């Protein structure tokens, strides 16, 4: 595979691609051009057709019409393997690799170093170590991948694709579960690859990242090509207009006004709450009508705190109270019984039931809370489902569609709807806006504020500090699995959160085994 | 991925069980008894090795017992009635069973059907076909049969390691190496982890599925030949229900029925445990042989409970698991 270094040469040409799933026209005559050595962002709302385009180009889905040329020659791969052999390496949006295999096997699956028909384990591990070292990871590569955190699994998936040294590298939302630090490493590597003449397609909902890394941008809307532009000459407002087909409604920070009333009633409190080897004991008060943000690096104990609060993990010390009365939170069921809701970070593994419809997924938690002897009538279900489909703008707006067929971001919205439907007193949201497009992102933040005004207590984890600053009344900063600082009111800004995260600077270490 | 802890537990159960037997019947701890145990269970060890691949890949093969039965009938008729030289008959039946397995694998992949259904159909098909060939037991008198039956390596202590036992040991070792050391083996585990993900990672899932079921049926064919050596006859009702003994051995050996984890050596130990129980019952003399089934059932329960426990434990430290309801 030779690399052409001519910057203007188009490496991958996609012409007139169409794809329908039954009545849903996911792609209509889409063109896309990737040059050698460029980083090309593929953008669009949730459900715009980005992942579908990638899967059609790489042969995972058969296409209805159109052609694909790679280096001038027409290609029509019929499986991911064939696309790989043709020189297109892809990290698909939903890929979490294989948790039962070792990290090294995952990196080298189907291309292990061999001698006499036998896999050279030692050599494979050595190469795996070097490969991951490039990404700043130093982990035991012979342990099963499932032992590691989502972020490490994701880095492994990216490292695998990068190492395939294909001519085209496609990354579908690679940064969704990565930390700033890992994103920087990834970007450095992407730039190196681009310099070698590899064409990179990058899908993301983080516009900052898009402006930081991409040379050109292609925008899709409702399965159609909107335009292809140079990043440098495209303003952010214009980009958002291209994506949404309308202006973005202004989100104003509602915090200032809410901050006035300080004597809110305590909804739930945790005193000296913790678990050995999990999260150091902490004190936390969650009040009605208040958003508490949890900030910190990956592995700093944010998700762990959320799970303790909800009861998904048992604390071994401390006292929890709900509305002042002592309670024991031993299981998620206890959490639900006390009116808590928890929207976990990993929708694929932790929440969505792909085969069930949008409606069934939405009423799931509510039904569980009511108990099986009090089934919701079909009318009630329909009513709840259509209310949330509308409220969160779930697309396509069809409550009877199996959730597995929705785009990634829309699945996330369904999960959020499930917990909102239980009308909890305390809602824990772990990365609620991950993988959600700019339009819906603003909607969700507005929704969070509204819920609060209705008296809900919220505990929100987010890696996006801007976002946390926008809606939080108080921010708890975590480091090394301990709560290290609590900021309130005026003191909340990105700078002070960063300062708290990085205090005693040194330990921006990686999360090892989660 | 090597599933070591469950294998270790299986090994401990085997050694402890054997020690208990030996305390009661000191004669059990002799190479003679062990040699016989290997011979008696040779066909089971062979077919269970194939089943291990299938189960690790997330599938199941219910047709193996019928394939064994069909093989014995085919071989007996080919040699005794159709006048085929035995070796030609062996090659023919192995080709036939491999093709049968490949066809099942292809159907499973192409039509995206559950392996349970497809191999259940295969089970009826193969059993029916053997009845079609012959409904009565056909004795085999070819000289090669007595030669092979008489061949054995002498073990110290008067035991005999027979030809069929040697074949079985070779297949178990070969299977274990194939599973642990080759690309094919790694792909088997990958399929068991998730077919969809494996496919997105570039594994040729269809080809793998065909190969895995082909291997299972091929080994069932070999097991059938070994079975015919053992009984010197072909009978359409032989090896009824063996698929279940086989699956039991695989599970007792620490392989997850949901796929993704397990080992060939574990399966071999599972076969030995079943053989050991049978031997104990023979020595006792008063117990009904059905006690083998009961003991196997109890062990199965114990192992499945144990695996669930281990799986739960393995998940605990992963702090990222479900917080969803119910
Ligand atoms: N396998 C499928 N079967 C039926 N419909 C599908 C399937 N996959 C995707 N769709 C539909 O195709 C449309 C495009 O989805 P796609 O996953 O490409 O969106 P996306 O741009 O990647 O969005 P996101 O940013 O949320 O990941 C959506 O309306 C989705 O519901
Ligand atoms: Mg997508």
């Amino acid at each position: 595979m030779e690399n052409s270094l001519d910057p203007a040469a188009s490496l991958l040409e996609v012409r007139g691609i169409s794809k329908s799933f039954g009545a849903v026209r996911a792609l209509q005559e889409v063109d896309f051009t990737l040059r050698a050595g460029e980083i090309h962002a593929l953008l669009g709302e949730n459900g715009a057709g980005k992942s579908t385009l990638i899967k059609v180009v790489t042969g995972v889905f058969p296409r209805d019409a159109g052609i694909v040329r790679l280096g001038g020659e027409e290609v029509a791969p019929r499986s991911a393997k064939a696309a790989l052999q043709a020189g297109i390496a892809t990290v698909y949006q939903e890929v979490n690799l294989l948790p039962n295999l070792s990290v090294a096997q995952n990196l080298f699956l189907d291309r292990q170093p061999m001698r006499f028909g036998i896999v050279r384990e030692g050599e494979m591990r050595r190469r795996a170590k070097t490969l991951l070292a490039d990404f700043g990871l130093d982990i035991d590569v012979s342990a099963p991948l499932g032992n590691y955190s989502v972020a490490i699994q994701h880095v492994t998936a990216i490292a695998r694709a990068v190492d395939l040294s294909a001519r085209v590298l496609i990354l579908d939302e690679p940064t969704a579960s990565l930390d700033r630090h890992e994103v920087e490493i990834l970007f450095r590597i992407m730039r190196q690859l681009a310099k070698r003449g590899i064409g990179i397609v990058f899908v993301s909902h983080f516009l900052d990242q898009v402006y930081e890394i991409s040379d050109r941008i292609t925008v899709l809307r409702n399965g159609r090509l909107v335009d292809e532009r140079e990043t440098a000459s495209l303003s952010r407002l214009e980009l958002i207009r291209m994506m949404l087909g309308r202006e973005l409604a202004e989100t104003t920070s509602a915090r200032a006004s809410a901050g006035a009333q300080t004597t809110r009633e305590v909804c739930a409190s945790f005193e000296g709450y913790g678990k050995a080897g999990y999260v150091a004991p902490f004190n936390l008060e969650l009040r009605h009508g208040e958003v508490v943000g949890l900030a910190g690096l990956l592995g700093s104990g944010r998700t762990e705190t959320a799970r303790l609060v909800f009861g998904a993990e048992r604390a071994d010390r401390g006292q929890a109270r709900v509305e002042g009365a002592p309670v024991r939170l031993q299981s998620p069921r206890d959490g639900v019984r006390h009116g808590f809701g928890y929207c976990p970070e990993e929708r694929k593994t932790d929440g969505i039931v792909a085969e069930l419809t949008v409606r069934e997924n939405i009423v799931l938690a509510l039904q569980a809370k009511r108990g099986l002897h009090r089934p919701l009538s079909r009318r009630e279900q329909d009513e709840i489902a259509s209310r949330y489909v509308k409220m969160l703008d779930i697309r396509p707006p069809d409550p009877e569609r199996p959730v597995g067929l929705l785009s990634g971001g829309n699945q996330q919205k369904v999960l959020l709807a499930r917990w909102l439907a239980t009308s909890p007193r305390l809602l824990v949201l772990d990365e609620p806006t991950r993988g959600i497009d700019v339009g819906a992102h603003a909607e969700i933040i507005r929704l969070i504020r509204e819920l609060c005004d209705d008296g809900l207590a919220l505990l929100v984890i987010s890696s996006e500090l801007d976002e946390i600053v926008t809606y939080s009344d108080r921010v708890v900063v975590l480091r090394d699995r301990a709560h290290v600082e609590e900021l309130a009111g005026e003191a909340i800004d990105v700078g002070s959160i960063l300062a708290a995260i990085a205090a005693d600077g040194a330990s921006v270490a990686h999360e090892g085994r989660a | 991925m090597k599933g070591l802890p469950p294998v270790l537990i299986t090994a401990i159960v085997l050694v402890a069980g054997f020690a208990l037997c030996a305390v009661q019947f000191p004669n059990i701890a002799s190479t003679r008894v062990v040699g016989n145990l290997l011979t008696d269970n040779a066909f089971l060890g062979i077919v269970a090795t194939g089943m291990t691949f299938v189960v690790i890949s997330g599938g199941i093969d219910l047709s193996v017992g019928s394939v064994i039965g069909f093989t014995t009938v085919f071989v007996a008729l080919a040699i005794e009635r159709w006048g085929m030289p035995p070796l030609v008959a062996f090659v023919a039946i192995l080709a036939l069973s491999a093709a049968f397995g490949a066809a099942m694998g292809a159907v499973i992949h192409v039509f995206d059907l559950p392996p349970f259904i497809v191999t259940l159909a295969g089970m009826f098909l193969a059993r029916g076909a053997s009845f079609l060939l012959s409904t009565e037991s056909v004795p085999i008198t070819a000289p090669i049969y007595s030669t092979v039956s008489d061949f054995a390596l002498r073990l110290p202590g008067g035991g005999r390691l027979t030809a069929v036992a040697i074949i079985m040991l070779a297949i178990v070792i070969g299977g274990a190496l194939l599973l642990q050391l080759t690309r094919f083996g790694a792909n088997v585990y990958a399929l068991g982890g998730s077919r969809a993900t494996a496919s997105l990672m570039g594994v040729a899932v269809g080809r793998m599925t065909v190969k895995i079921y082909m291997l299972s049926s091929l080994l069932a064919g070999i097991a059938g030949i070994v079975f015919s050596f053992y009984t010197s006859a072909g009978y359409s009702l032989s090896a009824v229900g063996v698929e279940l003994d086989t699956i039991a051995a695989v599970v007792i050996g620490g392989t997850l029925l949901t796929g993704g984890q397990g080992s060939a050596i574990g399966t071999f130990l599972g076969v030995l445990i079943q053989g050991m129980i049978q031997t104990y019952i023979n020595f006792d003399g008063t117990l009904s042989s059905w006690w083998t089934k009961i003991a196997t059932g109890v062990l199965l329960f114990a192992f499945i409970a144990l695996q669930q426990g281990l799986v739960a434990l393995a998940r605990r430290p992963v702090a990222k698991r479900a917080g969803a309801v119910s």
Side-chain angles (χ1 to χ4, degrees), chain A residues 148-415:
Chain A
Y148 295 101
S149 69
V150 178
I152 288 183
Q153 297 188 21
H154 223 105
V155 171
T156 308
I158 295 168
R160 176 187 160 85
V162 165
D163 193 54
L164 294 170
S165 55
R167 297 157 77 188
V168 174
L169 176 63
I170 304 178
L171 304 171
D172 195 350
E173 299 198 30
T175 55
S177 47
L178 300 189
D179 219 346
R180 187 60 227 164
H181 177 62
E182 286 140 337
V183 170
E184 265 158 30
I185 293 172
L186 173 65
F187 283 3
R188 199 193 66 224
I189 289 172
M190 281 167 67
R191 285 194 191 100
Q192 281 168 9
L193 294 173
K195 224 174 251 148
R196 295 213 314 250
I198 293 172
I200 302 177
V201 180
F202 175 69
V203 177
S204 178
H205 290 294
F206 298 107
L207 297 189
D208 289 340
Q209 295 181 1
V210 168
Y211 276 96
E212 181 180 342
I213 191 84
S214 71
D215 302 309
R216 290 194 306 153
I217 295 175
T218 292
V219 176
L220 300 182
R221 188 168 71 233
N222 295 332
R224 290 177 189 277
L225 174 68
V226 177
D227 205 357
E228 179 195 274
R229 301 284 277 275
E230 298 282 331
T231 309
S233 63
L234 180 64
S235 79
R236 199 179 270 248
L237 273 179
E238 202 179 343
L239 172 62
I240 291 175
R241 203 179 311 128
M242 282 164 67
M243 285 165 64
L244 304 186
R246 60 183 160 86
E247 298 292 332
L248 180 63
E250 202 54 43
T251 38
T252 46
S253 158
R255 179 157 50 85
S257 65
Q261 9 164 197
T262 41
T263 49
R264 291 201 184 99
E265 274 169 56
V266 174
C267 166
S269 70
F270 300 85
E271 247 179 68
Y273 215 62
K275 178 175 177 170
Y278 196 66
V279 182
F282 58 87
N283 295 326
L284 184 64
E285 264 188 3
L286 302 166
R287 306 197 185 103
H288 288 289
E290 200 183 63
V291 183
V292 175
L294 287 182
L297 296 175
L298 279 178
S300 59
R302 295 172 308 178
T303 298
E304 288 78 0
T305 301
R307 290 173 57 85
L308 279 176
V309 165
F310 182 60
E313 197 72 39
R314 249 180 245 187
D316 60 5
R317 67 200 64 185
Q319 178 67 58
R321 286 170 204 278
V322 174
E323 312 290 355
V327 295
R328 283 156 65 85
L329 296 169
Q330 307 240 335
S331 68
R333 191 173 305 199
D334 287 344
V336 172
R337 207 158 41 87
H338 290 113
F340 295 0
Y342 175 43
C343 202
E345 161 185 38
E346 260 310 284
R347 57 176 176 265
K348 276 284 170 193
T349 47
D350 283 358
I352 283 295
V353 189
E355 296 77 22
L356 295 186
T357 64
V358 171
R359 169 179 54 83
E360 288 163 330
N361 268 285
I362 291 179
V363 300
L364 200 63
L366 179 58
Q367 185 61 71
K369 190 178 170 194
R370 285 167 56 119
L372 287 177
H373 52 281
R374 287 201 304 144
L376 286 160
S377 76
R378 180 59 195 259
R379 249 222 354 264
E380 286 171 292
Q381 294 189 17
D382 285 339
E383 199 252 316
I384 293 167
S386 58
R387 175 150 43 97
Y388 285 102
V389 164
K390 198 141 120 237
M391 182 156 141
L392 298 174
D393 191 20
I394 292 170
R395 282 188 238 175
D398 172 12
E400 296 310 313
R401 211 175 160 71
V403 164
L405 304 186
L406 261 52
S407 77
N410 282 300
Q411 294 185 6
Q412 181 82 341
K413 294 186 202 167
V414 171
L415 200 55

Side-chain angles (χ1 to χ4, degrees), chain A residues 100 112 119 160 307 350 514, chain B residues 181 183 201 260 317 320-321 323:
Chain A
N100 61 322
Q112 297 94 338
V119 174
R160 176 187 160 85
R307 290 173 57 85
D350 283 358
Chain B
L181 299 184
R183 208 172 260 184
M201 285 172 80
K320 299 268 166 183
R321 284 285 155 183

